[in-house]
Amino acid sequence: MFLNLCVIVLTATQIIVCLLLVLLVLMQRPRHEGLSPAIGGGITDAIWGPQTNSVLHKGTVSLGVLLFVLSLALSMVKSAQVHEWSRLEMKSVPAANPVSPESAHEIIRAPGGALFR
């Protein structure tokens, strides 16, 4: 139950970080003035001042590192969740009925190769 909640929270956080990262990359002013004027133009300069590229670059790097850490954490939690599920399945599988030496002589091989008791 706890691992399910962790997976949901980490996945939601990762989606939000991805969207913010895309937004920050699109807001940066490239050398050739790509999509920056189309979605914000001078608004970014008005909000963060003349050091806009520096602020956006730091934010992009920070969100990129956060996305990487979230991906690692999500993979570790998912791995633990699969390990827990397999452990629970092993507990729920009934033990096989071994053939006792006394009943071994009752096993008859059919002409097609199938075994019957």
Side-chain angles (χ1 to χ4, degrees):
M1 181 67 179
F2 175 71
L3 291 177
N4 290 337
L5 182 63
C6 286
V7 168
I8 291 170
V9 169
L10 286 173
T11 303
T13 306
Q14 191 171 22
I15 290 170
I16 291 169
V17 168
C18 283
L19 293 175
L20 288 174
L21 188 60
V22 167
L23 183 65
L24 277 181
V25 168
L26 290 176
M27 286 175 59
Q28 289 181 8
R29 179 167 296 164
R31 291 183 183 96
H32 303 291
E33 296 294 329
L35 289 176
S36 181
I39 56 173
I43 295 175
T44 56
D45 287 339
I47 294 173
W48 288 298
Q51 301 289 332
T52 303
N53 283 338
S54 155
V55 171
L56 292 177
H57 179 72
K58 288 177 186 176
T60 303
V61 170
S62 299
L63 284 177
V65 169
L66 182 61
L67 183 67
F68 182 74
V69 169
L70 283 172
S71 298
L72 285 177
L74 186 60
S75 69
M76 289 173 27
V77 169
K78 266 313 250 189
S79 175
Q81 186 180 38
V82 168
H83 181 69
E84 181 179 305
W85 284 346
S86 65
R87 193 170 23 134
L88 290 175
E89 282 182 11
M90 293 300 290
K91 287 181 181 178
S92 66
V93 173
N97 294 334
V99 177
S100 65
E102 295 82 29
S103 64
H105 68 279
E106 297 175 10
I107 298 177
I108 302 168
R109 184 169 296 276
L115 296 176
F116 292 101
R117 284 190 172 192

